Amino acid sequence: MKTNFSNEGTTQSDEQNLIFARAAALADSGIFKEYLIYEDNGECWFAGGIVRSITVFATHIESNTSAGKTQRQVNSENLCQVLQQELNTWDGEWQACGWSSFEFAYALKSPELLTEEEKAGQEALLFICEPKITVSLGKKPTLIKSKSSELEQQVRLILENAVVRAHVPYKNVEIPDNINYKNAVKKSVSNIQNGLLEKVILSRKVPLHFSPDYTATWLQGRSMNTPARSFTMNLAGWKITGFSPEIVLSVNENRKVTTEPLAGTRRLEGNPDTDQKIFDELLRDPKETHEHAISVRLSVDEMTEVCEPESVHVPQFMVQKKRGSVQHLASRVCGTLKTEYNAWHAFESLFPAVTASGIQKLAAFSEIRRHEGSSRGLYAGAILKLDHTGVIDAALVLRSVMSKGDQHWLQAGAGIVLDSTPERELTETSEKLASISPWVVEKTS
């Protein structure tokens, strides 16, 4: 089934285009084997190289510094606690980045669902590193942080010579029909009818038979998307470019926690009047509004576990958010951390995002594992940006092209509830894939 949905796109200024071009030039410079570009509302943060790192497995946490590698044993009950203890050993005013796989949630909450390799500590579930250099673009003046003056000079030269790139041919990946996905939806609806759970997000993969150019895909896809966050990364075994429609959470310097659940989806046609009519239809759809309301309810419950109860509130409820080829019902839930808790307690409570897992989460985990057949990896996980003050920003990994080893793929899911139909949920995955599939650029060298 080929999708031809119109992406709303963005109007980017010359200044904005140059910011993106500079970030991309750093990624493609060849100086950094590993890097991340993390973009929030037009401001790009580039992280290149690795000074020290922490890798989390189901059985242990491995720290890698200039002094060598160390390991600490962990289990599902103390995993985040030990992670915070390891971060507490880092000196200085550090900034860090990284990623969390979806299966990190299994290690925390349902270790029996891990694969044998994951249970044996052979698969990394979360990775955090301090970069050799960070560059903040979009703020004036450009802020560069590094302990190496030589590296800083190299970066400045790249920034000075960066030019806006012309668009290059892209693949416009065709999205096939998928009878297995429709069968999985049908079975999950049956389990919901039987009271085993209220909602589950089932996803499907679309394999790519070519190697993407991740930076070029980010540049082109960003010009046609309106994400909450965007990113392109080559870090600890994963390559990914994505246009995330929402955050898992953010924790600011005042310990305010925010999560922004999106649930309920319709396509965008590109005509304002038509798109508004489609949104009005979405807002009147009892299946979609029910799916959204129960997602917000769970977000509030999870926030209340780690935040002062009286601080938890919903400042936005069921507003319209346009994200690339689709529009969503969107809400925002906020709270203030309890004195005894830190950002990782909030992450543990809210991860994975309810809009990418389900309700009840433990039952949804089993349903996902039963039907999807393989680990999700970064899909529905998070790309992380954090620092020594306890600030953390975690983008939900959706609308992405990704690779591990020599495998490259797209992946998208839909929320299955009592009133779901296999045909509509398959269509929704295609609508979401259209936020990334038309803009994938093939690597030529």
Side-chain angles (χ1 to χ4, degrees), residues 156-208:
R156 289 190 184 278
L157 190 61
I158 293 167
L159 295 175
E160 289 171 7
N161 292 310
V163 295
V164 176
R165 303 183 194 180
H167 282 272
V168 296
Y170 42 82
K171 296 293 287 188
N172 195 8
V173 178
E174 189 164 323
I175 307 302
D177 203 342
N178 190 315
I179 188 66
N180 292 332
Y181 184 80
K182 289 191 281 190
N183 288 337
V185 171
K186 186 176 180 180
K187 291 175 183 177
S188 289
V189 169
S190 177
N191 285 336
I192 292 169
Q193 290 172 337
N194 292 331
L196 299 181
L197 71 168
E198 285 187 78
K199 173 183 175 181
V200 61
I201 286 75
L202 294 183
S203 72
R204 63 180 179 118
K205 289 183 177 181
V206 178
L208 302 180

Side-chain angles (χ1 to χ4, degrees), residues 274-293:
T274 302
D275 289 339
Q276 186 60 49
K277 288 178 182 177
I278 293 172
F279 178 75
D280 292 342
E281 173 194 311
L282 172 63
L283 199 55
R284 291 192 299 269
D285 188 319
K287 177 263 180 187
E288 302 283 9
T289 54
H290 170 72
E291 179 187 346
H292 186 88

Side-chain angles (χ1 to χ4, degrees), residues 7-22:
N7 284 46
E8 183 191 52
T10 60
T11 302
Q12 293 174 185
S13 66
D14 291 344
E15 181 180 5
Q16 188 69 77
N17 286 330
L18 185 57
I19 289 169
F20 292 158
R22 285 172 171 165

Side-chain angles (χ1 to χ4, degrees), residues 54 56 79-88 94 96-100 104 108-109 126-129 249 251 255 257 306 337 341-351 382-387 390-394:
I54 297 171
V56 178
L79 202 154
C80 278
Q81 177 186 349
V82 176
L83 172 58
Q84 182 62 58
Q85 289 171 353
E86 289 296 308
L87 286 171
N88 288 343
W94 51 265
C97 62
W99 51 259
S100 173
F104 181 66
L108 290 170
K109 300 164 183 174
L126 182 144
F127 178 82
I128 296 171
C129 67
L249 85 163
V251 182
R255 298 169 56 81
V257 184
V306 294
L337 276 173
Y341 290 151
N342 59 49
W344 287 107
H345 291 105
F347 187 79
E348 183 173 358
S349 184
L350 289 162
F351 185 80
I383 304 298
L384 306 170
K385 180 175 180 283
L386 59 153
D387 68 28
V391 168
I392 186 170
D393 199 79

